[in-house]
């Protein structure tokens, strides 16, 4: 771990209001000891699930180790949405943190998509470890096209992403060809439309959303990672906000789960952007949530 990454990890722990600083820092130092002596793999507890920390380079496992529910508000909100049942699409599932959280709700259907073969194997093992029979796994990327794509090739990395044709030869680890489908094709084949979608695909979120076609407007909640990669690899955050607003999504919001509040998103918020449909907005208000008006 570089000094900057180490400092960023400490800052994230210290500013997380949902864990005691001493506990988070102690767990982070334990992780560094495990890394130094390569004490992997090992099982960790995560919510009401178990999850395997497969190797020392798995940054998601490191987050779990030091912070538990590292996206506390969005993760708790996901479970709240699915408590009465519903369908969840975890797009860019990685090793399965959101998949496992969602599948703890007995009435939920979970569809998890992870294209990288080695990472998909870790995801599959975590689902098997927890005996979650309400999860369907897909070793595929989702996009606006239905044809194979090339993916960066770093096993267990949360930043693997689809490669543009002109960058394949420049990728230091090489690229691997993976299956890629449109989301609306999966929905038609399985006879489902997701109530909530988590989307973390390293800047290609717009391509995935386009792949839902007309079904997009039937989704209740979008949890969308948007950052500088959205500007570099897609149309940009401002254009995506405008595009989603044109499809009647309200947002972007940040969730304060404990206070039951949805507030207008501020820059540099630690959790993903939230967009809600009119129907979900109504459900929130009916259940006592405060939803801030957006300008």
């Amino acid at each position: 771990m570089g000094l900057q990454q180490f400092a960023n990890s400490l800052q994230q722990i210290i500013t997380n209001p949902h864990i005691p600083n001493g506990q988070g820092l102690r767990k982070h130092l334990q992780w560094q000891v495990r890394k130094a002596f390569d004490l992997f793999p090992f099982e960790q507890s995560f919510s009401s699930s178990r999850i395997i920390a497969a190797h020392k380079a798995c940054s998601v496992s490191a987050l779990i180790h030091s912070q538990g529910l590292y996206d506390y508000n969005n993760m708790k909100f996901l479970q709240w949405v699915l408590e009465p049942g519903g369908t969840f699409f975890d797009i860019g599932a990685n090793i399965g943190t959101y998949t496992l959280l969602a599948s703890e709700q007995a009435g939920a259907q979970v569809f998890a998509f992870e294209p990288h073969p080695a990472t998909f194997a870790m995801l599959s093992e975590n689902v098997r470890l927890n005996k979650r029979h309400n999860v369907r796994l897909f070793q595929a990327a989702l996009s606006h096209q239905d044809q194979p794509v090339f993916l960066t090739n770093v096993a267990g990395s949360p930043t693997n992403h689809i490669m543009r044709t002109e960058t394949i030869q420049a990728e230091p680890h090489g690229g691997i060809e993976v299956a890629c489908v449109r989301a609306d094709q999966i929905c038609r084949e399985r006879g489902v439309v997701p109530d909530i979608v988590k989307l973390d695909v390293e800047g290609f979120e717009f391509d995935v959303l386009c792949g839902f076609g007309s079904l997009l407007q039937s989704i209740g909640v979008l949890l969308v990672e948007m950052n500088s990669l959205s500007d570099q690899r897609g149309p940009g955050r401002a254009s995506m906000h405008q595009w989603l607003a044109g499809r009647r999504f309200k947002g972007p919001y940040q969730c304060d789960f404990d206070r039951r509040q949805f507030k207008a998103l501020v820059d540099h918020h630690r959790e993903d952007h939230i967009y809600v449909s009119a129907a979900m907005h109504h459900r929130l208000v009916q259940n006592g949530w405060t939803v801030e008006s957006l300008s």
Side-chain angles (χ1 to χ4, degrees):
M1 174 184 288
L3 288 177
Q4 186 60 52
Q5 186 179 354
F6 184 76
N8 291 342
S9 297
L10 292 181
Q11 178 68 15
Q12 188 173 10
I13 292 167
I14 291 169
T15 58
N16 187 337
H18 303 289
I19 58 168
N21 284 347
Q23 173 186 314
L25 293 172
R26 175 175 54 82
K27 296 284 284 183
H28 184 57
L29 289 174
Q30 288 176 353
W31 180 268
Q32 301 310 312
V33 171
R34 279 191 171 274
K35 283 184 65 175
F37 292 96
D38 199 13
L39 302 176
F40 296 86
F42 72 97
E43 288 184 18
Q44 302 188 86
S45 60
F46 180 67
S47 186
S48 298
S49 302
R50 301 290 294 171
I51 194 163
I52 298 169
H55 54 75
K56 62 184 178 182
C58 183
S59 58
V60 175
S61 295
L63 284 172
I64 293 168
H65 193 73
S66 63
Q67 300 180 60
L69 298 182
Y70 55 88
D71 289 340
Y72 175 85
N73 295 290
N74 286 3
M75 287 176 164
K76 296 292 285 187
F77 177 62
L78 168 67
Q79 293 191 310
W80 181 85
V81 170
L82 294 174
E83 187 175 6
T87 301
F88 172 55
F89 274 28
D90 187 0
I91 304 173
N94 199 257
I95 64 171
T97 49
Y98 273 85
T99 290
L100 292 177
L101 278 170
S103 66
E104 290 176 1
Q105 310 306 307
Q109 293 186 82
V110 181
F111 292 73
F113 302 86
E114 173 51 52
H116 192 278
T119 308
F120 181 81
M122 297 178 206
L123 167 67
S124 302
E125 181 59 29
N126 285 323
V127 171
R128 283 194 295 270
L129 175 66
N130 290 276
K131 298 181 173 62
R132 298 289 160 75
H133 301 297
N134 57 344
V135 177
R136 300 292 177 268
L137 300 175
F138 298 82
Q139 188 179 334
L142 294 186
S143 188
H144 64 291
Q145 59 188 352
D146 181 12
Q147 62 185 38
V149 294
F150 279 86
L151 192 75
T152 56
N153 186 21
V154 183
S157 171
T159 60
N160 280 315
H161 58 84
I162 292 174
M163 303 168 66
R164 303 296 189 194
T165 303
E166 62 272 16
T167 65
I168 292 174
Q169 295 301 322
E171 169 59 31
H173 298 281
I176 53 173
E177 189 175 77
V178 298
C180 183
V181 297
R182 289 176 55 95
D184 54 5
Q185 177 183 329
I186 298 293
C187 292
R188 287 194 300 269
E189 290 175 352
R190 301 287 172 158
V192 298
V193 176
D195 299 283
I196 181 167
V197 171
K198 188 273 287 180
L199 186 52
D200 182 354
V201 291
E202 300 302 308
F204 291 91
E205 291 76 20
F206 182 72
D207 290 356
V208 177
L209 290 171
C210 288
F212 278 100
S214 61
L215 296 178
L216 182 68
Q217 295 181 67
S218 299
I219 297 170
V221 182
L222 300 171
L223 306 177
V224 187
E225 182 188 51
M226 287 193 199
N227 51 36
S228 60
L229 292 178
S230 305
D231 303 326
Q232 296 169 23
R233 298 169 179 166
R237 285 167 282 188
S239 295
M240 287 181 65
H241 297 327
Q242 185 176 11
W243 187 80
L244 286 167
R247 282 145 185 81
R248 301 184 180 179
F249 280 95
K250 297 179 182 291
Y253 289 113
Q254 61 187 77
C255 172
D256 186 330
F257 184 81
D258 292 336
R259 291 183 174 85
R260 295 298 196 271
Q261 293 178 349
F262 266 65
K263 298 179 286 187
L265 186 81
V266 297
D267 288 340
H268 309 301
H269 185 60
R270 62 185 292 142
E271 301 187 35
D272 289 344
H273 295 48
I274 302 179
Y275 291 86
V276 298
S277 67
M280 179 54 67
H281 184 278
H282 179 73
R283 176 179 167 186
L284 288 166
V285 172
Q286 288 295 105
N287 281 274
W289 288 73
T290 300
V291 183
E292 185 176 300
S293 296
L294 300 171
S295 58

